[in-house]
Amino acid sequence: MKKHVVLIEDEPAIRDNYRAAFERRGYRVSAHGDRSSAWQVLRQSLPDLAIIDVGLGDEPEGGFALCQDLRSLSQTLPIIFLTARDSDIDSVHGLRLGADDYVTKDMSLDHLLARVTALLRRADAWAEALQKPDEVLQRGKLTINVDRMTVAWDETPIDLTVTEFWMLHSLVQHPGHVRSREQLMEAASTVLDDNTVTSHIKRIRRKFSQLDETFDGIQTAYGMGYRWNAREV
């Protein structure tokens, strides 16, 4: 069955160009030009992946609002932000809202398609894992159920996106061992730039710190990457 990609983009020429490119690659594509019409459809049935323009018509940040709505329905739906604004502020804000990736419209279609392929491959791997007996990692106050993709700190659940989950899982597997940004990307089956990886790590830390102000589980190894604090084991 063809993978279903939904594209929310308010510029007709760009929307049609992307739709044609994805359909040539064998995807089933649904396209919408504004947030309200997209939400009316998406709240009834989710696609396999969503590509959302940040600015939608007269809503400069309509894409951010739609992302929040989608995350209320699914923490695991792969979401990519698409925008003409090449701004670190936009990127960080988008990732805080739960997007898995963030690309600008000047990026080549081949690059965008590669990122989509990676995210869908990861989603398939997760769905397959659900059919197996649960694998649970316990590290001190941290509990990770790998197959259910759930995380708890001191028995309190923490909601992570798929990208955040697999980055955390990579760090926790071998406490004290440094994981480079490239290794974290590989673990999350995605292609990101260094700043985006850093934004994901900051978001993960923030979620834990909201529950525990003393949280120090994720340490920065300057110039190398990140590691899970062995003292948290």
Side-chain angles (χ1 to χ4, degrees):
M1 182 180 296
K2 292 183 177 181
K3 292 292 186 182
H4 181 201
V5 174
V6 65
L7 172 66
I8 303 94
E9 163 62 59
D10 64 342
E11 298 184 41
I14 295 176
R15 188 169 64 241
D16 292 344
N17 188 31
Y18 283 162
R19 180 207 289 269
F22 279 98
E23 288 179 344
R24 286 196 299 270
R25 294 292 186 96
Y27 293 102
R28 179 167 67 91
V29 182
S30 298
H32 304 276
D34 60 81
R35 179 168 68 94
S36 60
S37 64
W39 178 240
Q40 289 299 318
V41 175
L42 293 172
R43 68 181 181 177
Q44 303 297 326
S45 178
L46 291 175
D48 294 300
L49 180 141
I51 301 174
I52 307 173
D53 189 8
V54 170
L56 293 172
D58 58 359
E59 296 183 283
E61 296 190 351
F64 290 151
L66 182 57
C67 177
Q68 288 181 297
D69 289 337
L70 290 173
R71 278 288 170 252
S72 71
L73 298 178
S74 171
Q75 283 291 318
T76 58
L77 171 69
I79 297 175
I80 298 177
F81 274 130
L82 178 69
T83 181
R85 294 185 287 178
D86 188 6
S87 163
D88 287 340
I89 295 176
D90 283 349
S91 176
V92 171
H93 185 47
L95 294 172
R96 283 175 179 170
L97 294 176
D100 294 289
D101 204 352
Y102 181 97
V103 300
T104 56
K105 292 181 182 178
D106 59 358
M107 178 176 291
S108 71
L109 277 171
D110 284 342
H111 196 158
L112 175 59
L113 286 160
R115 292 190 177 195
V116 167
T117 299
L119 286 174
L120 289 172
R121 186 183 302 120
R122 184 184 66 186
D124 286 342
W126 172 70
E128 183 178 327
L130 288 177
Q131 308 304 317
K132 302 175 182 177
D134 288 1
E135 176 189 347
V136 178
L137 285 177
Q138 189 75 44
R139 299 287 187 264
K141 295 181 180 180
L142 177 70
T143 304
I144 297 181
N145 187 312
V146 179
D147 300 294
R148 297 181 184 273
M149 289 190 71
T150 58
V151 176
W153 181 257
D154 203 12
E155 299 185 356
T156 301
I158 296 178
D159 288 330
L160 300 180
T161 67
V162 178
T163 299
E164 293 163 359
F165 179 89
W166 288 117
M167 286 186 177
L168 177 67
H169 177 261
S170 178
L171 293 170
V172 169
Q173 278 187 304
H174 303 286
H177 293 206
V178 174
R179 289 288 179 266
S180 68
R181 288 175 173 80
E182 290 75 17
Q183 288 173 316
L184 292 175
M185 281 189 281
E186 182 179 352
S189 297
T190 190
V191 181
L192 307 169
D193 58 39
D194 286 352
N195 288 337
T196 305
V197 173
T198 300
S199 295
H200 279 299
I201 293 297
K202 287 181 179 178
R203 179 178 164 86
I204 297 169
R205 281 174 170 155
R206 186 179 302 108
K207 290 182 177 181
F208 279 93
S209 297
Q210 287 172 347
L211 291 179
D212 184 350
E213 293 181 354
T214 66
F215 176 75
D216 187 32
I218 300 175
Q219 298 180 322
T220 300
Y222 293 99
M224 295 183 289
Y226 303 92
R227 61 175 162 244
W228 183 256
N229 187 351
R231 289 181 296 180
E232 296 287 358
V233 175

